[in-house]
Amino acid sequence: MVAIRRRKGFFLLFLLCIPVLLSSCQYPPYGAIAYQILYPSGYSRDCYTWDKLTPIEGTDWYLAENNGLEILDKEGGLIFEYPDISQGTVRGEATGEGTIWVCSEQWNSPHYNGYRSGDLVESILFLLDMETGDILFQQHLGSNELYLTSIGTKCYFYFCGKEEEEKFFGLYKVPAKNAEIYYRDINNWAKEGSVYKFDYVEWPDNIDDKLSVENYIRFYLQDRIITVALTLYGKAGPESEEWEYIEKSSVEIPLDIKK
């Protein structure tokens, strides 16, 4: 009987330890930071956007997911359809040369429509000829490779960074990688070109966000410039009952720099 009680006691202790072990493996929590992409037209996309039709920036056309990808005119008529391309969340923009870039994204963000840090599983990025419907260029993107915009043959992305990892019980460490904006050129896709490296992984440690209920990274897409703004949503002050968006810092990043 004593041996059985000891086994039961050990088993109960093990069950009590499981939450501690799991919590130690879940830092930082994925989906902690919200993303918002804002286009020059005024359209924006974030984790609360559930539009059935997504406007293609710079055109009167729309994107829709309906057992595949559809491109519709402004009256809702079907222009082209691609039944084999469907990841769940889509965005698009015109190039001004009779083509459009479309990014179809798969997110793992429970209770949200994507756009949370660390939750981007994969994407398909492709360039379409709007006269013929032909796919002129297509690439699969890896996890957390967030497509922002394109200029000419260059496609720009945001990577949310990665914390330092310990391997083999701490005997080997994989260094942390800070958040970064970089590009790939369709003529040499395998090569990444760094545009701007941030001084944080996922979110800066020095921003006081105790009164915030949600932290945002906003990407304002402009003509050859991306403005990245770190923004809080919360109370204006400890005694205030007013809720507002508070921009804590921002940086303007020129694109299409000759390198």
Side-chain angles (χ1 to χ4, degrees), residues 39-41 43 45 53-64 69-74 79-80 82 90-96 99-103 126 128 130:
Y39 289 91
S41 65
Y43 178 75
R45 168 59 67 89
L53 299 179
T54 301
I56 300 173
E57 184 70 12
T59 76
D60 293 330
W61 306 319
Y62 293 88
L63 296 168
L69 178 71
E70 296 180 342
I71 299 179
L72 310 175
D73 62 24
K74 59 183 178 180
I79 303 175
F80 298 116
Y82 304 88
V90 290
R91 286 182 290 121
E93 61 179 41
T95 66
T99 57
I100 61 171
W101 283 101
V102 176
C103 190
F126 53 101
L128 287 179
M130 287 305 294

Side-chain angles (χ1 to χ4, degrees), residues 21 26 39 66 72-73 80 89 104 111 114 123 131-132 138 152 154 157 162 170 180 196 201 217 227 236:
L21 292 171
Q26 293 177 344
Y39 289 91
N66 185 18
L72 310 175
D73 62 24
F80 298 116
T89 304
S104 180
H111 313 299
S123 308
E131 290 188 4
T132 64
Q138 179 175 332
K154 292 181 180 178
F157 305 90
K162 193 173 183 180
E180 181 180 14
Y196 190 92
V201 173
I217 299 180
T227 299

Side-chain angles (χ1 to χ4, degrees), residues 205-223:
D205 294 330
N206 60 354
I207 289 183
D208 182 7
D209 56 0
K210 296 182 180 63
L211 298 178
S212 174
V213 296
E214 189 150 51
N215 296 353
Y216 271 89
I217 299 180
R218 286 174 160 175
F219 302 93
Y220 293 88
L221 306 183
Q222 300 153 288
D223 184 21

Side-chain angles (χ1 to χ4, degrees), residues 3 78 80 100 124-125 166 170 180 190 197 220 222 246 252 257:
L78 181 65
F80 298 116
I100 61 171
I124 303 174
L125 178 66
E166 291 189 355
E180 181 180 14
K197 290 186 178 181
Y220 293 88
Q222 300 153 288
I246 304 168
E252 287 190 356
I257 300 173

Side-chain angles (χ1 to χ4, degrees), residues 178-211:
N178 282 8
E180 181 180 14
I181 287 180
Y182 60 95
Y183 71 86
R184 296 180 188 273
D185 194 304
I186 63 174
N187 297 314
N188 187 10
W189 193 257
K191 181 181 178 181
E192 291 184 12
S194 181
V195 177
Y196 190 92
K197 290 186 178 181
F198 297 90
D199 60 356
Y200 62 81
V201 173
E202 202 169 27
W203 183 260
D205 294 330
N206 60 354
I207 289 183
D208 182 7
D209 56 0
K210 296 182 180 63
L211 298 178

Side-chain angles (χ1 to χ4, degrees), residues 57-194:
E57 184 70 12
T59 76
D60 293 330
W61 306 319
Y62 293 88
L63 296 168
E65 288 277 347
N66 185 18
N67 296 320
L69 178 71
E70 296 180 342
I71 299 179
L72 310 175
D73 62 24
K74 59 183 178 180
E75 283 81 26
L78 181 65
I79 303 175
F80 298 116
E81 60 181 338
Y82 304 88
D84 297 328
I85 300 176
S86 179
Q87 295 286 80
T89 304
V90 290
R91 286 182 290 121
E93 61 179 41
T95 66
E97 300 176 354
T99 57
I100 61 171
W101 283 101
V102 176
C103 190
S104 180
E105 304 161 339
Q106 180 185 350
W107 294 82
N108 181 22
S109 300
H111 313 299
Y112 300 97
N113 191 16
Y115 295 88
R116 311 289 295 192
S117 63
D119 289 350
L120 181 55
V121 178
E122 63 177 356
S123 308
I124 303 174
L125 178 66
F126 53 101
L127 181 66
L128 287 179
D129 186 320
M130 287 305 294
E131 290 188 4
T132 64
D134 292 341
I135 298 176
L136 305 177
F137 177 83
Q138 179 175 332
Q139 281 289 341
H140 277 78
L141 308 178
S143 62
N144 300 317
E145 193 167 13
L146 177 63
Y147 172 71
L148 297 175
T149 189
S150 296
I151 298 177
T153 60
K154 292 181 180 178
C155 301
Y156 293 85
F157 305 90
Y158 176 78
F159 175 69
C160 61
K162 193 173 183 180
E163 293 283 351
E164 179 183 83
E165 288 185 275
E166 291 189 355
K167 302 285 188 179
F168 304 109
F169 305 99
L171 296 177
Y172 173 70
K173 292 185 179 180
V174 178
K177 184 176 181 180
N178 282 8
E180 181 180 14
I181 287 180
Y182 60 95
Y183 71 86
R184 296 180 188 273
D185 194 304
I186 63 174
N187 297 314
N188 187 10
W189 193 257
K191 181 181 178 181
E192 291 184 12
S194 181

